[in-house]
Amino acid sequence: MIKLKAIFIFIMVMLVTSCSAPDVDYYQGTEPQFDFKRFFNGELKAYGVVQDHKGELTRKLVVDMQASWQGNQGVIDEQFVYDDGETQTRTWYITLKEDGSIEGTASDVIGTAYGDSNGSVFHWTYSVELPYDGSTLVVNFDDWMYLVTQSRLINRTAIDKFGIEVGEVTLVIEKIER
């Protein structure tokens, strides 16, 4: 019986640690330095794909973004165009906090998005209400943004429901210099 308990505890510890996400502190000192306000300012364009839980491509999308700031308060307007013709808009209202963290709200975001950055990486999490089969479905987004150059980043978003990954979005976001 003691052996069985020990095996069970070992398996549970392995499951919990294998599901834990990396921490932004891991990226301390990586370059280029991610500055959310600097990157998300002005005109941006994103190109991406949506994959289901099996990793199969379900949609492609292009996103036009316009971002502006007044002090530590920012607005990011996003216009999504999917390959099936669907369009969608989202406006983020962003606050840069004293401690360096970031909070954001949007009409389809449940509550507040919370984020933090270190080195060349920004991470934030939030819940979104998505249209689904004539109704809506609340899912959790776990965004990891990796700044590649001062004008390009790669964004990987894991989408989960009840702690199980049900999809993924990958975007390349570019600043448009005019």
Side-chain angles (χ1 to χ4, degrees), residues 20-174:
S20 64
D23 188 283
V24 293
D25 291 339
Y26 176 81
Y27 300 98
Q28 184 173 353
T30 58
E31 295 290 334
Q33 189 71 27
F34 190 93
D35 180 332
F36 191 95
K37 186 176 175 179
R38 185 166 145 214
F39 186 83
F40 286 99
N41 192 23
E43 189 177 346
L44 301 107
K45 190 153 196 123
Y47 306 89
V49 294
V50 180
Q51 296 168 276
D52 66 13
H53 68 283
K54 298 179 284 187
E56 293 178 1
L57 179 69
T58 60
R59 300 176 98 179
K60 298 175 190 172
L61 67 147
V62 175
V63 187
D64 289 308
M65 295 179 231
Q66 191 66 39
S68 60
W69 293 88
Q70 288 195 358
N72 285 337
Q73 301 296 313
V75 176
I76 303 171
D77 288 312
E78 301 174 320
Q79 294 80 38
F80 298 81
V81 179
Y82 294 91
D83 59 345
D84 61 5
E86 181 186 352
T87 61
Q88 181 183 26
T89 62
R90 174 184 291 141
T91 299
W92 282 103
Y93 299 95
I94 306 294
T95 301
L96 302 179
K97 307 298 278 182
E98 294 275 331
D99 64 0
S101 65
I102 296 173
E103 293 182 358
T105 60
S107 62
D108 61 342
V109 172
I110 308 300
T112 303
Y114 296 98
D116 202 3
S117 65
N118 207 329
S120 61
V121 175
F122 175 73
H123 174 237
W124 75 341
T125 57
Y126 51 98
S127 297
V128 174
E129 191 171 47
L130 295 175
Y132 179 76
D133 201 24
S135 184
T136 59
L137 179 69
V138 175
V139 294
N140 302 308
F141 280 46
D142 187 13
D143 280 14
W144 284 90
M145 298 181 193
Y146 304 95
L147 191 62
V148 178
T149 68
Q150 288 298 340
S151 61
R152 284 188 186 87
L153 69 76
I154 296 172
N155 184 118
R156 180 197 181 274
T157 303
I159 305 168
D160 77 65
K161 181 73 177 165
F162 303 121
I164 298 169
E165 190 167 318
V166 295
E168 181 178 315
V169 178
T170 305
L171 296 171
V172 174
I173 304 174
E174 299 178 316

